[in-house]
Amino acid sequence: MVERAEYISSKSAKVASFLSRLMPNVGGPKESSRRLQATVVLTIMLYAAPIQKEAVVTKSYRRQMVSLYRIVCLRTVSAFRTVSYEAVCVIARMPPVELLVEERSRHYGRCLSFSREEEWKITIDQWQQREEAADSGRWTHR
């Protein structure tokens, strides 16, 4: 499972790298085009999310996944690389990737008994609680 998760992570990193070459970070296309790029990378990252949920527990894989997702969020809003992970997720209006993996796993585990909208609301609530308890990104939170 971890091998599959590492393969997906490396594949999404390659795609993010190729797509970033098409769009310069400063003076490039609008946020809507950048969000499309983020959606492509995120789709690859969340492929087989129920299987990846077990791999996300591994600290090294989670760090690798968060690092790539942070870069995607930074490029979505053309932010500086010094912006924290929590802050850039808020600015980009993209929930943290760990919560998205959990959402997909919940949705799969419940055999589609909850709708996507209900699962999304649960994810947003978890993100809000996590954001209120976080130490970093407090200036952005204010």
Side-chain angles (χ1 to χ4, degrees):
M1 285 184 240
V2 175
E3 296 85 20
R4 179 70 181 158
E6 289 176 357
Y7 169 74
I8 291 172
S9 180
S10 68
K11 182 177 179 179
S12 56
K14 288 177 188 174
V15 170
S17 174
F18 291 141
L19 289 175
S20 69
R21 292 180 192 155
L22 295 174
M23 298 185 217
N25 199 29
V26 177
K30 296 185 214 175
E31 185 181 346
S32 59
S33 300
R34 294 174 183 278
R35 192 164 294 279
L36 177 63
Q37 172 190 354
T39 303
V40 170
V41 175
L42 187 61
T43 302
I44 295 169
M45 288 177 73
L46 294 179
Y47 178 75
I51 296 170
Q52 288 187 28
K53 185 177 181 192
E54 296 176 15
V56 170
V57 176
T58 308
K59 188 176 183 178
S60 63
Y61 176 69
R62 184 176 58 240
R63 188 176 343 140
Q64 182 181 14
M65 196 171 187
V66 165
S67 175
L68 175 61
Y69 189 70
R70 181 177 169 272
I71 291 169
V72 169
C73 289
L74 287 170
R75 294 201 52 86
T76 300
V77 294
S78 298
F80 290 110
R81 63 184 176 157
T82 55
V83 179
S84 71
Y85 174 61
E86 291 82 9
V88 78
C89 285
V90 171
I91 295 168
R93 299 182 315 269
M94 297 169 63
V97 70
E98 309 93 34
L99 294 179
L100 294 174
V101 169
E102 288 179 26
E103 175 189 337
R104 298 281 170 97
S105 299
R106 277 194 319 264
H107 189 68
Y108 176 78
R110 291 182 177 159
C111 299
L112 306 176
S113 62
F114 281 78
S115 68
R116 284 271 191 212
E117 291 81 22
E118 292 169 342
E119 294 291 346
W120 180 250
K121 288 178 185 177
I122 293 170
T123 301
I124 296 298
D125 290 341
Q126 288 177 345
W127 186 22
Q128 183 70 35
Q129 292 169 0
R130 183 175 165 174
E131 190 60 34
E132 290 172 0
D135 291 334
S136 63
R138 298 315 307 163
W139 185 84
T140 306
H141 180 74
R142 282 187 293 248

